[in-house]
């Protein structure tokens, strides 16, 4: 009896998770959320992406991967999320949140999902300044100020 209830509970949780999950894809320099374009994307190089607003083509977010000038040592690598319109920069070593080393586009899709989950990015593609401040408090490690150069 307990096993049946547990099984039903697990199936319910999985179905709710699948029902509420959002599909993010980047295709032809468009960021699509469930098939609707919310941002424009530009791959600058393998380590940089820019994201632009749909309203006025302003650059709202710049992603940059930093190898900390030690390409052979990945332990000190980090990424920077620069929310340009809010003038807030977040630096983090938690590469698991966005990394997909074989495909940078998939990594950026993962990053957009993360920003949507944290409500930094609205489903309409707008940045939420209040949530950006909370995001910074949660994830910013202030790496460049701590690093001796």
């Amino acid at each position: 009896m307990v096993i049946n209830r547990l099984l039903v509970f697990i199936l319910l949780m999985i179905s709710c998770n699948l029902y509420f999950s959002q599909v993010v894809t980047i295709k032809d320099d468009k960021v699509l959320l469930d098939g609707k374009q919310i941002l424009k994307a530009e791959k600058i190089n393998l380590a940089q992406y820019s994201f632009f607003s749909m309203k006025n083509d302003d650059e709202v977010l710049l992603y940059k991967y930093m190898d900390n000038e030690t390409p052979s040592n990945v332990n000190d690598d980090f990424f920077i999320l620069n929310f340009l319109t809010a003038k807030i920069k977040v630096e983090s070593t938690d590469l698991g949140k966005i990394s997909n080393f074989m495909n940078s586009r998939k990594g950026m899709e993962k990053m957009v999902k993360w920003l949507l989950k944290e409500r930094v990015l609205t489903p309409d593609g707008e940045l939420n300044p209040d949530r950006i401040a909370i995001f910074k408090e949660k994830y910013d490690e202030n790496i460049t100020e701590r690093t001796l150069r």
Side-chain angles (χ1 to χ4, degrees):
M1 186 72 165
V2 174
I3 294 175
N4 288 341
R5 286 186 181 181
L6 184 62
L7 184 61
V8 169
F9 177 74
I10 291 172
L11 289 174
L12 180 66
M13 293 303 292
I14 291 172
S15 65
C16 287
N17 194 19
L18 291 175
Y19 178 74
F20 291 113
S21 67
Q22 296 173 317
V23 177
V24 174
T25 54
I26 297 176
K27 186 175 183 181
D28 299 327
D29 293 336
K30 297 175 184 175
V31 179
L32 305 170
L33 175 64
D34 295 329
K36 176 188 168 208
Q37 184 176 1
I38 60 169
L39 293 170
K40 296 175 187 174
E42 178 184 339
K43 182 178 180 177
I44 299 168
N45 58 38
L46 190 60
Q48 282 186 313
Y49 260 85
S50 286
F51 296 90
F52 300 87
S53 168
M54 291 294 297
K55 285 185 178 178
N56 51 15
D57 280 340
D58 285 345
E59 186 175 9
V60 294
L61 175 63
L62 173 69
Y63 162 85
K64 185 185 262 187
Y65 176 79
M66 300 294 290
D67 68 0
N68 219 4
E69 299 174 5
T70 57
S72 61
N73 182 11
V74 295
N75 292 331
D76 63 351
D77 293 356
F78 64 99
F79 64 89
I80 301 169
L81 293 176
N82 195 348
F83 299 96
L84 299 167
T85 54
K87 296 182 171 95
I88 294 177
K89 188 182 289 189
V90 176
E91 302 173 335
S92 178
T93 57
D94 191 1
L95 298 173
K97 294 281 188 196
I98 59 171
S99 290
N100 192 333
F101 292 107
M102 295 299 180
N103 188 337
S104 63
R105 180 181 53 81
K106 290 287 185 192
M108 292 302 97
E109 289 172 357
K110 192 173 177 183
M111 181 192 70
V112 171
K113 283 182 185 178
W114 181 35
L115 294 176
L116 286 164
K117 179 182 178 221
E118 292 287 335
R119 294 181 293 158
V120 170
L121 189 62
T122 68
D124 296 327
E126 298 292 322
L127 292 177
N128 183 343
D130 297 330
R131 294 301 301 181
I132 293 173
I134 293 169
F135 185 81
K136 181 176 175 64
E137 287 297 317
K138 283 174 75 173
Y139 299 108
D140 187 39
E141 297 175 33
N142 207 8
I143 295 164
T144 53
E145 287 188 20
R146 293 187 298 123
T147 307
L148 295 175
R149 299 246 175 223

